[in-house]
Amino acid sequence: APHGAQGPAARVCLAPVFLVAFGRGASPGPSAAVRSPLLPRTPGVGQRGRGRASPCATAGERPPSAVERARTFVGQNTFPIGMALAVAAARVAPALGANGGPLRLDITVGRLGVAAIFFLSGLGIRTSELAQAATSVRLNAFVQLVTFALWPGMTWLLVQLVRAMHAPLSSALLDGLLVTSCLPTTVNMCVIMTQAAGGNVALAITNAVFSNTAGVFVTPLLLLGLMGRTIDVSLADVCAKLARTVVLPVLLGQLARSAPPVQAFAARRARASKKVSEAVLLLIIYNTFSEAFLSKGAALSGADLLALGVTLPIAYAGALLGGARLLARTPIAPGDAVAVLFCTSQKTLAFGLPLIRLVFAGNADLAFFTAPIMILHPLQLLAGSVLQPAVRKALRLDGRAV
């Protein structure tokens, strides 16, 4: 740690990063899939190394101990736990992670780290996947219209209604909900959920790639269009930042991928790339909330957190189950409907958090803008897993093997 960052405070603040870097199991990230503890397991999952008992004991094996179960839970939920630790670390030692602090996270993470995330994303995306996005034009167009038009439009109307009712909610938090509605779908979680429910995985991958590629340009334009009167952001400045921090790194990643040795190296080091991206995301969370805790009045109140904790689960469950019942009445094939459902009902943290930070850099309400997607992210994983049987039943997939 830099000079002045030694001691217990520094260890607490860096704990989320070490948790991700050395934690066992996979966790959500921009370029690798994650398995929820609630999703169906295949034989051998959870067995790492020789002689180690599987967390899912079968007949004749001794049941896992409490320590083993706890270790398995932590390994499978590394990133959500890391997010909680990052926020706690920001509360304990905000000066260490604030802009201009000893760690200089505004430079090392805010600029270099974000660019690294998108470079690794470009390195991991196959060019053929982008070409495949044009094969199912109607379904792809439907997914993107729901993602970038229906959700932002409905959220905008809801926010205006809440403000007209003078509800006791922070105006900045309502803007945060609007920001979240403008984000693209998840990079990999929608693919995992689609696969677990027996849907069309190829369609889910195509729309995940297309949505996050289009989101580089569409999301900032939506934010400027819906919030342009309430935020001080220049379109030219946003485009320049996006070109420098997002588009250029992605293009460089694609160019580097064209070299066979680099492509082979990226395939071998996919897990390491994911861990780097996750560590950067946790440092972004730490920096964002450090700034919030140092600014008086910028932290979320208990009422704000309660409102998010109640409304987001209800809204997500309603969207998932309601969407499943609506899609069941359409001529869309059940497998395609599963992919459409999970792609349109989720919002990305891996892409969204760096983009929100980029667009709203220096805004005093940055913590309010990031809070909804941070709460929604683990909720999508858990609720999607719990509601999976209901989704399969609504889409008449009960008799199909996953």
Side-chain angles (χ1 to χ4, degrees):
H3 179 69
Q6 307 290 340
R11 290 194 294 270
V12 169
C13 297
L14 296 179
V17 179
F18 288 123
L19 178 66
V20 163
F22 302 107
R24 296 169 56 230
S27 56
S31 60
V34 158
R35 179 176 294 279
S36 163
L38 300 176
L39 291 179
R41 286 183 173 272
T42 56
V45 173
Q47 297 177 352
R48 297 179 181 272
R50 297 180 180 177
R52 182 171 295 175
S54 169
C56 298
T58 58
E61 295 181 357
R62 68 173 181 85
S65 65
V67 173
E68 289 174 332
R69 287 196 298 270
R71 183 182 298 175
T72 300
F73 177 81
V74 171
Q76 294 170 341
N77 296 275
T78 302
F79 193 74
I81 295 173
M83 285 197 304
L85 289 176
V87 175
R91 182 64 176 174
V92 172
L96 188 63
N99 293 341
L103 298 180
R104 296 307 303 267
L105 295 183
D106 50 323
I107 297 176
T108 57
V109 173
R111 298 179 186 177
L112 302 178
V114 172
I117 286 180
F118 288 105
F119 173 78
L120 294 174
S121 297
L123 195 63
I125 295 176
R126 294 175 182 152
T127 307
S128 59
E129 292 177 359
L130 298 176
Q132 189 182 359
T135 57
S136 300
V137 178
R138 292 184 178 180
L139 282 179
N140 292 340
F142 177 76
V143 170
Q144 304 312 316
L145 282 174
V146 173
T147 300
F148 293 118
L150 180 62
W151 282 123
M154 291 178 60
T155 306
W156 183 84
L157 290 175
L158 178 62
V159 166
Q160 301 308 313
L161 177 63
V162 172
R163 283 177 171 155
M165 296 171 60
H166 302 287
L169 290 176
S170 167
S171 178
L173 186 62
L174 293 175
D175 286 337
L177 292 172
L178 192 56
V179 168
T180 299
S181 73
C182 296
L183 296 176
T185 189
T186 50
V187 180
N188 54 42
M189 196 184 301
C190 62
V191 178
I192 299 170
M193 295 297 180
T194 298
Q195 184 177 26
N200 187 340
V201 177
L203 184 64
I205 292 175
T206 296
N207 278 280
V209 172
F210 187 79
S211 179
N212 282 269
T213 302
V216 173
F217 306 98
V218 176
T219 296
L221 292 177
L222 284 173
L223 293 176
L224 291 172
L226 296 176
M227 303 175 60
R229 296 182 180 180
T230 60
I231 59 175
D232 184 16
V233 176
S234 166
L235 178 60
D237 290 343
V238 169
C239 290
K241 289 179 181 178
L242 287 172
R244 181 175 63 251
T245 312
V246 179
V247 179
L248 181 59
V250 169
L251 291 178
L252 290 176
Q254 286 282 288
L255 289 174
R257 183 180 175 83
S258 63
V262 175
Q263 186 173 348
F265 177 82
R268 291 195 307 268
R269 302 295 181 181
R271 181 178 176 82
S273 298
K274 174 180 66 68
K275 291 299 182 183
V276 170
S277 298
E278 291 170 354
V280 172
L281 287 174
L282 290 180
L283 287 172
I284 288 175
I285 294 171
Y286 173 48
N287 175 239
T288 299
F289 277 84
S290 293
E291 286 288 307
F293 288 130
L294 284 179
S295 300
K296 293 182 178 180
L300 274 69
S301 67
D304 290 334
L305 290 174
L306 179 62
L308 289 178
V310 172
T311 58
L312 286 180
I314 295 175
Y316 182 72
L320 201 60
L321 297 179
R325 289 184 171 85
L326 288 175
L327 287 170
R329 300 176 181 272
T330 68
I332 300 176
D336 293 344
V338 171
V340 169
L341 177 65
F342 283 113
C343 286
T344 54
S345 64
Q346 298 185 353
K347 296 295 182 178
T348 177
L349 175 78
F351 175 92
L353 193 60
L355 188 63
I356 293 171
R357 181 184 175 84
L358 181 65
V359 173
F360 297 102
N363 193 301
D365 294 325
L366 185 60
F368 289 95
F369 297 159
T370 58
I373 187 59
M374 287 178 59
I375 294 176
L376 183 62
H377 176 77
L379 172 67
Q380 291 173 150
L381 182 63
L382 296 176
S385 302
V386 171
L387 297 175
Q388 185 192 123
V391 170
R392 288 177 58 83
K393 181 178 180 180
L395 295 174
R396 301 182 296 277
L397 284 168
D398 287 338
R400 297 189 180 187
V402 176

